[in-house]
Structure formats: structure tokens, C-alpha cells
């Protein structure tokens, strides 16, 4: 049996400081199958992928490639064994040509170790033709579209003789047309006996192209099924477990006064957008990648510039051209990228929590450390941040606790309006539920929340009202009770005009 | 339990690393030369390091933001010659001191504008300023030294109060203020946050540009202070004053354990780093080693310190896992 599998994982455990990201996970991959990996954010999919592709080590367990036990110390090790990964953000050098990217580090050599450029461009052109691609191998990567970049990545995988190709959300930034082309190529690879590990949040795609799927939840292996033996509801319930009904708190909501009014807001991708947010309301803004919903949040919080438009908070025209001004106006922003934009990872919990409210903690230039300690401890208690003391470095905390630190920082500025972008990304289910109940409490206190999330169950579970965006414009507004996932997705992807 | 104790030990070693190196080098020094331990020699060492030490304090702030300042030597040189020139022309000691500090501050502010406002990489911006300002020094002095005649000026470098040399008193004051600013003020927090994650700091409402600018301005100001001490001690301003001091200052910061990538470190260990460099100089002089060879030893010590630092960090990262 072991001989027939191209890749086999047994009892893989990965422990990060404070969190068990993978807990005895297994996975079997048959040559020439399309194997989908399903699981919510934080289920451990991305950690598992990193381990398989050699980007990360594992704490314990066993990995076999074609029946032979392997230990990867780098992605290069994995590639030598025929395992390649295509990341969501590609690993291409944008100023080099397509051919240079395909053969990066493996340049064909002629005499005296000189790079044989002619051979490289010729070979690369053939590689592209094999995939049915029309563009020249001398094109610079920066001049390619997202879909074309992806094809270059696939070509690269083929030239290193990959037997397993891991694709992380390959369709996230593609148009319907491009997705068709991609699927044809994937089918083609399958014919050649290459196994594809396919990660996607889009359930319909998984059911369309995969042969088998494996479900993970909270770092644990749940099940592997043939696609014909399962269905959508089955997979979703395996992904979320039983707790789905009590994950989202009961919300009582009556429309009150307007807290935030946005008029004709225009920025780089957002186009002449107007909407209202009411007191105590949770407004969900849906949209696919590139719809402008995340950018809208960043413009309102002063992180990105606004070209035109007016923002009124409680009826007063508010300047939110910089983060400082937006914060003073009463807007608090929880970023979708806590590591790059939310936290100073090398500093401790205390300094991170008080970072946005230093002004209110100081007398003259002196920082009132006693007051700081009191306020930080209060936040740590209220948000139930699990740490041994506030002097712990943030980089060693679990995703959920890190996210709560970002929440605490924003809440310290006492905002009237909270804008939350992907508030539960990379957060485990327990912390998720806690974050939801915090949101609920905040709205009970009269604060208003905008939530932007790619997690549709979360969007529908938490929002009172939902706006759907596409290409920088609002294409749908509905009360939660009047809509569902399918309708939102249809509007977001342009299926409804 | 075992790993916990190990973890604690490693972090302790991390904090006191500069002190440990200092002690080790002092022990070696006292074995090599008995006169090393005399009080006279002790003051001598500290007096030698005041200039690099004071600049190291400002440099720590710069490096904590993730920057670097290569122009400190040239700022010191320019402040020194203009101060001496003012003194020669007016005979007014106070004015001469203010000129030195003012020139330092001004040059630092220009550095700050280049880095914070125009976003030129600190290495490039201060490299440009280093060359430019040294050129100014040479044009102003035409290459010849300007001597100091007023004793009221020289006393800053040579005098002492209740037996403690004045430069050392200034050094202590600078470090006390520096430590206070870094650990007790909102500005200090901004410095750490900028070095740790500039974008997160900006989005958290920190005035990143103003703080970054201020860090270079402070560094320039301290170069001015150091210029007064150096000029007073030597009794003249040389066109080559301060050349190479940037490397001593940066080495002191690194030996003090401040991360070159910014965000972590303290001011106080920098003075210990400066002392380590000073003791190496001192012991080699006491042993009559060829002065040209001192740099070899200094270089080796810096490399060893950085290697040990990396090893300790790897170990503590392992202990975390």
C-alpha cells in the first residue's frame, strides 16, 4: 500500500510556543489525484503545507515520499524529492524574464560554466507551449497578469520534475475565464500522473475538480473522503464541528441613529461609495479579493489616502486623512494583517496594548507607567488574553492572543466606531467565539462595528446588515435575515447584474 | 522545568552579556598589566571613551529606530572647528560652546529631514552628509589646526569637580537623560515601536516621521557636545577630528546588545560597550603594542561579540520551541 502513495504523512505534530498547530495529522496522496484540503482558518492547513514543502520543520511524526522516509530541511530538499508549492503570493522575481524565473538557480550551463541563455529561452518557450501559453519567455514577469504569473509558477514546478504540486488558493485573484484555463491545466497535470494538493475556501471549486478531500479542524485530522461519497453540508459540518450554532452570539438589533455616514468616498480602487452605519449596529462588508472592501477600511482609518468624499461621525464632518486624525475622530481599526501592520512583534504585550493611547497615558513627556499598567491589566482581564505576564513578547503568543492584543490596543483609544478587517484570521475556534462575544458586548455599549471578512459564515453570523462590494462599488445591500451566502457570493463575483 | 531554567539562564546571559564581556576583558587586562587596576588608569580609560561614549548614546537611539548614522565623525569635526574658530574670533567661551552644540544639532536635523521626510535610506543619507561635512571642515580650516587659548574652554576637557573629571560628569549626565528619555517617555516608546515595526507604529497613531527626525537631531546635538569635550581636551581643533569615530560608536552600541535591525536594546549597555573598546585600547598601550595593531584586536572582539550574540539568540529561539 505504502508503495502506491506518492506522499504519506503519519502523526505529524507541530508545536509553536503556546499553541499546538498540528496534532497528530495524517495525509495520503495518490499519484495523479487532485486532493483538496479543507478546513477553516486556523485549522492547520497552511502549517501542514509549509511542512510538506520543506518551509517549516515538524515537532514529531513521519513523512514518506514514494514509500521512503524523508526529512526536509529546506524547500530545496522538498523540490529534489518532487514536491513543489505555489504560494498565493507568488515567488517570482518581477524584474527578471519568465525564462530566468523558471530556471532560477538551475541555469543551463555551456562551456566554462557560462549560462547558456539561448538554450534557456528556448527550453522555457517549450515549457510554456506545453501549457498552451502564448507569451514569450523573454517577457519580464512584472508585465504579466496574475493568471500568467501562476502559469509561470506551474511551468517552474514541471521543470523541476514535481510529482506533487501544492496550490494555495490558486483561484483567489482570477477571473472566471482564467479559472477555466487553470482547471484545464490542472486536469492535464493529473493525466501526467502529477498529484495536486488543492487548498481553497471556495467549496464549489473543490467539488468541481477534486477526486478526494481531507478535512482538518483545530490542527486535527478529521477525515478523508472520496468526492462522490460526500457532499457540501457534510464537509462543512466536519470543518466547523458541532459548535457552529453557538459560535455566534444572539444579537438583538433595532436600527437607531446614524453613527457614521460616508458620502461619495473615492480612493484608488473604491469608487464613489456612500453608506451609513447605525449606533450599535454590526455592518458586514463582503467582497472578493480586489473588491475594495479592505481598502475602504484602510481609507476610513487614515492608513490609505482618500481622493474625494466626506465622512461624518455622529453628524460631524471628520478628517480621517491620517491614522492619528481618524483615531481622534473616533475610528478604531483592527487590521487584517496583524504581523505586518498591527503588532510590534519584538516588544511586549504592555507596550503593544498602550501603543495607540500613549498620549492619554502621559503627563507632559513622562509616561505614567502605573496608570499604563492598570489599564493594560484591565484590558488583559476583560479580553481574557492568556499570558503569564504583560512583559511577555508578543511574537511568542498564539494567533488568537495576538489578535486580542490588537483589539486591546484599539479599544484603549475608546473608539465609537470599530472597523475590523478579517478579525478572526488565523485564530482558533475558542478565541473566535470570544472575539464574537466581545463584538457583541461592544455594540451593547453603543459602539458601532464594521466587519470585513472573507469568511462568509462569520459575516452572516455576526452582521445585522450586509453590503456587498465588487470593483470598488456597492452591488448589494441587505439585512442579514434577507440574504444568504449564495446570494452574497453571486453578487460579489459578478454573477448578478 | 529543566528547559525553563535553561531559558531563564539564557535570557540572563543575554541581558548581562556586555557586563560579562567587560569583566572578562578587565580580568585579562589586569593579569597582563598590573598598572591596569590603578584608579588613575581607570579615570584615564573613562576619559578616553567619553567622546565615543556620548556619540554612542545618540547612536543607540538611531539604531533602535532601525537606522544608522555614519556622519557623526564629520559632524563632530565641523562642530569642533567652528567652535574653535568662534573662540579665536570672539574669545567668548560660552558662545563657542553654543556654536558647537548648535552646529551639531543643525547637522543632525538635516540628517533627520533626509531620512524621515525624503525617505532616503539612512546609510546613504548619512554617508552623503559624512563626505559633505568633512569637505566643509577642510574648506574652513584649509587643513591646518585651530588652537584653543582660553583656559575657560580647556577646563571642560581637562578640569575636574571634586576629583571627578568634567568629561566623565558630562558622560554620566548624558546617559542618565538618555536612559530616562528611552524608558520613561512616550517618545522612547515611539523609538522602540518604529524600530520594531514602522507600519504598525504609524497605523497606531505614532508620529513616526517626527520621532525619526528627532532621533537624528538628538544624535547631532550629542556630536556637538562631544566636539566641545574633544576640542577642549586636545587644546585644538583638527581637520581630521572625529574621523572613524562612527565605527567606535556603532561598535559600542552593538557590544551593548542593541539589535542592528532595531526595536530592541537599551542605552546604558552602550557605555559598557564603549568601555570594552576603551579597555582594549588602554591595555594595548600599557603593553606597548604597536598602535597600528589595536584595530586588529578591536575588530576581532567585535566579531566574537556578534558571533556569541547570534549563538545565544539561536539557543534562546530553540528553548522557546
Amino acid at each position: 500500500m505504502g508503495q502506491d502513495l506518492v506522499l504519506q504523512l503519519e502523526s505529524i505534530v507541530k508545536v509553536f510556543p503556546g499553541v499546538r498547530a498540528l496534532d497528530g495529522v495524517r495525509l495520503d496522496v495518490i499519484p495523479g489525484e487532485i486532493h483538496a484540503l479543507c478546513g477553516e482558518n486556523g485549522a492547520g492547513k497552511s502549517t501542514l503545507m509549509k511542512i510538506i514543502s520543506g518551509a517549516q520543520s515538524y515537532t514529531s511524526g513521519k513523512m514518506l515520499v514514494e514509500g521512503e522516509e524523508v526529512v526536509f530541511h529546506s524547500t530545496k530538499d522538498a523540490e529534489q524529492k518532487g514536491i513543489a508549492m505555489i504560494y498565493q503570493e507568488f515567488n517570482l522575481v518581477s524584474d527578471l524574464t519568465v525564462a530566468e524565473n523558471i530556471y532560477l538557480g538551475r541555469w543551463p550551463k555551456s562551456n566554462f560554466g557560462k549560462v547558456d541563455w539561448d538554450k534557456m529561452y528556448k527550453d522555457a518557450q517549450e515549457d510554456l507551449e506545453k501549457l498552451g501559453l502564448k507569451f514569450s519567455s523573454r517577457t519580464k514577469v512584472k508585465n504579466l497578469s496574475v493568471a500568467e504569473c501562476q502559469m509561470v509558477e506551474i511551468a517552474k514546478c514541471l521543470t523541476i520534475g514535481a510529482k506533487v504540486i501544492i496550490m494555495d488558493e490558486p483561484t483567489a485573484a482570477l477571473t472566471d475565464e482564467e479559472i477555466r484555463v487553470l482547471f484545464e491545466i490542472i486536469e492535464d497535470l493529473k493525466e501526467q500522473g502529477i498529484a495536486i494538493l488543492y487548498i481553497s475556501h471556495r467549496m464549489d471549486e473543490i467539488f468541481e475538480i477534486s477526486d478526494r478531500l481531507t478535512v482538518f479542524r483545530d490542527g486535527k485530522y478529521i477525515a478523508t473522503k472520496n468526492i462522490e461519497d460526500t457532499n457540501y453540508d457534510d464537509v462543512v459540518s466536519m470543518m466547523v464541528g458541532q459548535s457552529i450554532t453557538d459560535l455566534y452570539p444572539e444579537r438583538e438589533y433595532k436600527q437607531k441613529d446614524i453613527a457614521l455616514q460616508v458620502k461619495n468616498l473615492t480612493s484608488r480602487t473604491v469608487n464613489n461609495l456612500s453608506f451609513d452605519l447605525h449606533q450599535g449596529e454590526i455592518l458586514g462588508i463582503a467582497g472578493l479579493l480586489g473588491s475594495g472592501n479592505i481598502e475602504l477600511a484602510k481609507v476610513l482609518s487614515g492608513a490609505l489616502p482618500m481622493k474625494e468624499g466626506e465622512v461624518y461621525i455622529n453628524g460631524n464632518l471628520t478628517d480621517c486623512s491620517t491614522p492619528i486624525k481618524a483615531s481622534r475622530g473616533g475610528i478604531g481599526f483592527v487590521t487584517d494583517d496583524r504581523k505586518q501592520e498591527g503588532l510590534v512583534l519584538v516588544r511586549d504585550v504592555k507596550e503593544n496594548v498602550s501603543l495607540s493611547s500613549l498620549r492619554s497615558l502621559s503627563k507632559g513627556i513622562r509616561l505614567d507607567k502605573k496608570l499604563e499598567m492598570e489599564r493594560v491589566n484591565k484590558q488583559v482581564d476583560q479580553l481574557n488574553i492568556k499570558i503569564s505576564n504583560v512583559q511577555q513578547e508578543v511574537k511568542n503568543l498564539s494567533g488568537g492572543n495576538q489578535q486580542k492584543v490588537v483589539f486591546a490596543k484599539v479599544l484603549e483609544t475608546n473608539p465609537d466606531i470599530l472597523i475590523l478587517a478579517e478579525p478572526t484570521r488565523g485564530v482558533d475556534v475558542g478565541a473566535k467565539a470570544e472575539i464574537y462575544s466581545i463584538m457583541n458586548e461592544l455594540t451593547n455599549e453603543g459602539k458601532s462595528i464594521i466587519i470585513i471578512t472573507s469568511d462568509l459564515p462569520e459575516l452572516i453570523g455576526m452582521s445585522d446588515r450586509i453590503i456587498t462590494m465588487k470593483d470598488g462599488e456597492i452591488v448589494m445591500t441587505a439585512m442579514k435575515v434577507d440574504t444568504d451566502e449564495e446570494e452574497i457570493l453571486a453578487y460579489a463575483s459578478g454573477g448578478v447584474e | 522545568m529543566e528547559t525553563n531554567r535553561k531559558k531563564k539562564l539564557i535570557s540572563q546571559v543575554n541581558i548581562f552579556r556586555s557586563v560579562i564581556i567587560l569583566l572578562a576583558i578587565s580580568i585579562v587586562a589586569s593579569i597582563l598589566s598590573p598598572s591596569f587596576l590603578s584608579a588613575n588608569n581607570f579615570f584615564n580609560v573613562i576619559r578616553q571613551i567619553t567622546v565615543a561614549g556620548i556619540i554612542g548614546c545618540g547612536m543607540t537611539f538611531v539604531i533602535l529606530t532601525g537606522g544608522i548614522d555614519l556622519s557623526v565623525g564629520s559632524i563632530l569635526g565641523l562642530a569642533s572647528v567652528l567652535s574653535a574658530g568662534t573662540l579665536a574670533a570672539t574669545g567668548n567661551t560660552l558662545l563657542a560652546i553654543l556654536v558647537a552644540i548648535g552646529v551639531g544639532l543643525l547637522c543632525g536635523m538635516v540628517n533627520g529631514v533626509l531620512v524621515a521626510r525624503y525617505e532616503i535610506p539612512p546609510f546613504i543619507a548619512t554617508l552623503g552628509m559624512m563626505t559633505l561635512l568633512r569637505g566643509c571642515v577642510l574648506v574652513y580650516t584649509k587643513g591646518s589646526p585651530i588652537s584653543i587659548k582660553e583656559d575657560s574652554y580647556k577646563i571642560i576637557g581637562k578640569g575636574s569637580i571634586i576629583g571627578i573629571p568634567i568629561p566623565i560628569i558630562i558622560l554620566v549626565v548624558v546617559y542618565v537623560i538618555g536612559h530616562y528619555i528611552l524608558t520613561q517617555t512616550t517618545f522612547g516608546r515611539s523609538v522602540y515601536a518604529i524600530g520594531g515595526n514602522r507600519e504598525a507604529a504609524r497605523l497606531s497613531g505614532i508620529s513616526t516621521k517626527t520621532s525619526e527626525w528627532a532621533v537624528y537631531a538628538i544624535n547631532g546635538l550629542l556630536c556637538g557636545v562631544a566636539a566641545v569635550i574633544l576640542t577642549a581636551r586636545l587644546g585644538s581643533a583638527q581637520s581630521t577630528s572625529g574621523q572613524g569615530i562612527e565605527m567606535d560608536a556603532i561598535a559600542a552600541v552593538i557590544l551593548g546588545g542593541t539589535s542592528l535591525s532595531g526595536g530592541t536594546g537599551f542605552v546604558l549597555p552602550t557605555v559598557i560597550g564603549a568601555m570594552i573598546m576603551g579597555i582594549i585600547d588602554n591595555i594595548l598601550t600599557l603593553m606597548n603594542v604597536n598602535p597600528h595593531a589595536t584595530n586588529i584586536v578591536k575588530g576581532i572582539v567585535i566579531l566574537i561579540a556578534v558571533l556569541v550574540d547570534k549563538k545565544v539568540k539561536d539557543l534562546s529561539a530553540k528553548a522557546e520551541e
Side-chain angles (χ1 to χ4, degrees), chain A residues 131-196:
Chain A
L131 291 171
L133 301 171
K134 307 256 157 29
F135 53 88
S136 157
S137 66
R138 290 175 189 271
T139 321
K140 284 199 172 168
V141 163
K142 66 179 171 196
N143 298 327
L144 298 180
S145 71
V146 179
E148 287 167 337
C149 286
Q150 194 162 44
M151 296 306 157
V152 173
E153 286 273 17
I154 293 175
K156 196 171 159 185
C157 291
L158 292 181
T159 63
I160 62 171
K163 294 169 210 144
V164 179
I165 299 178
I166 307 164
M167 296 187 179
D168 186 10
E169 297 278 354
T171 58
L174 301 189
T175 64
D176 286 348
E177 182 73 14
E178 291 164 339
I179 292 175
R180 284 288 122 230
V181 176
L182 175 70
F183 282 4
E184 277 167 31
I185 288 176
I186 290 179
E187 290 291 342
D188 227 41
L189 297 176
K190 182 180 153 178
E191 306 262 290
Q192 298 173 35
I194 295 170
I196 309 283

Side-chain angles (χ1 to χ4, degrees), chain B residues 254-274:
Chain B
I254 295 169
L255 288 172
T258 295
S259 156
L260 262 182
S261 47
T264 52
F266 288 100
V267 158
L268 294 183
T270 299
V271 79
I272 294 171

Side-chain angles (χ1 to χ4, degrees), chain B residues 252-303:
Chain B
V253 176
I254 295 169
L255 288 172
T258 295
S259 156
L260 262 182
S261 47
T264 52
F266 288 100
V267 158
L268 294 183
T270 299
V271 79
I272 294 171
M275 280 170 75
I276 294 169
M277 302 293 284
I279 289 174
I280 296 170
D281 257 338
N282 179 255
I283 190 67
L284 295 175
T285 315
L286 287 178
M287 290 175 65
N288 285 323
V289 173
N290 175 0
H292 296 297
T294 18
N295 279 342
I296 299 177
V297 180
K298 277 190 188 174
I300 291 172
V301 169
I302 293 170
L303 291 176

Side-chain angles (χ1 to χ4, degrees), chain B:
Chain B
M1 272 332 277
E2 189 56 28
T3 55
N4 250 345
R5 257 184 39 210
K6 215 161 129 194
K7 220 155 96 179
K8 208 166 173 190
L9 187 74
I10 289 168
S11 76
Q12 299 278 343
V13 169
N14 227 349
I15 293 167
F16 295 110
R17 197 198 50 205
S18 50
V19 181
I20 294 169
I21 300 176
L22 180 69
L23 286 177
I25 285 192
S26 304
I27 291 168
V28 172
S30 57
I31 295 169
L32 289 174
S33 168
S35 51
F36 173 77
L37 284 178
S38 70
N40 212 352
N41 190 49
F42 177 74
F43 276 144
N44 203 6
V45 169
I46 301 198
R47 211 180 353 225
Q48 292 288 342
I49 63 135
T50 42
V51 172
I54 288 172
I55 295 176
C57 181
M59 188 68 83
T60 311
F61 278 86
V62 171
I63 289 181
L64 279 173
T65 63
I68 194 99
D69 188 346
L70 300 179
S71 68
V72 285
S74 298
I75 297 180
L76 182 136
L78 187 65
S80 173
V81 296
L82 289 180
S83 178
T86 308
L87 193 64
T90 65
N92 187 332
T93 297
L94 184 66
L95 184 66
I97 292 172
L98 289 177
V99 164
I101 295 174
V103 167
L105 178 64
L106 204 69
C107 295
M109 283 159 68
V110 173
N111 274 335
V113 169
L114 294 175
V115 172
R117 170 76 178 78
Y118 294 105
E119 296 176 9
I120 301 174
F123 190 93
I124 310 290
T126 59
L127 183 69
M129 285 293 281
M130 169 176 147
T131 313
L132 187 156
L133 296 176
R134 185 60 67 188
C136 294
V137 173
L138 291 170
V139 167
Y140 181 77
T141 61
K142 302 186 187 69
S144 46
I146 306 169
S147 59
I148 303 285
K149 298 199 173 61
E150 277 72 6
D151 284 333
S152 56
Y153 192 102
K154 285 184 194 167
I155 204 166
I156 299 166
K158 294 176 174 164
S160 49
I161 296 170
I162 50 165
I164 304 169
I166 292 176
I168 296 181
I169 296 175
I170 297 176
L171 179 78
V172 171
V173 170
V174 163
Y175 270 86
V176 168
I177 295 175
H179 180 72
Y180 179 85
I181 290 178
L182 193 59
T183 59
Q184 306 295 324
T185 69
T186 53
F187 171 70
R189 281 294 172 78
S190 311
V191 169
Y192 280 126
I194 291 169
N197 187 341
R198 183 176 308 260
E199 186 61 5
R202 183 180 80 88
L203 295 178
S204 299
I206 302 284
S207 322
T208 49
K209 285 185 190 281
T210 313
S211 300
E212 193 173 30
W213 171 82
V215 157
Y216 286 88
I218 289 172
N219 196 28
L221 179 119
L222 289 177
C223 289
V225 173
V228 173
I229 295 174
L230 184 71
T231 316
R233 197 175 72 213
L234 297 177
S236 75
Q238 318 272 345
S239 59
T240 55
S241 284
Q243 244 166 22
I245 196 92
E246 64 279 352
M247 287 308 151
D248 281 347
I250 293 168
V253 176
I254 295 169
L255 288 172
T258 295
S259 156
L260 262 182
S261 47
T264 52
F266 288 100
V267 158
L268 294 183
T270 299
V271 79
I272 294 171
M275 280 170 75
I276 294 169
M277 302 293 284
I279 289 174
I280 296 170
D281 257 338
N282 179 255
I283 190 67
L284 295 175
T285 315
L286 287 178
M287 290 175 65
N288 285 323
V289 173
N290 175 0
H292 296 297
T294 18
N295 279 342
I296 299 177
V297 180
K298 277 190 188 174
I300 291 172
V301 169
I302 293 170
L303 291 176
I304 290 176
V306 173
L307 279 174
V308 169
D309 184 36
K310 194 172 147 28
K311 204 79 206 158
V312 170
K313 273 192 185 131
D314 287 352
L315 277 176
S316 56
K318 268 226 178 83
E320 290 293 347
E321 274 193 22

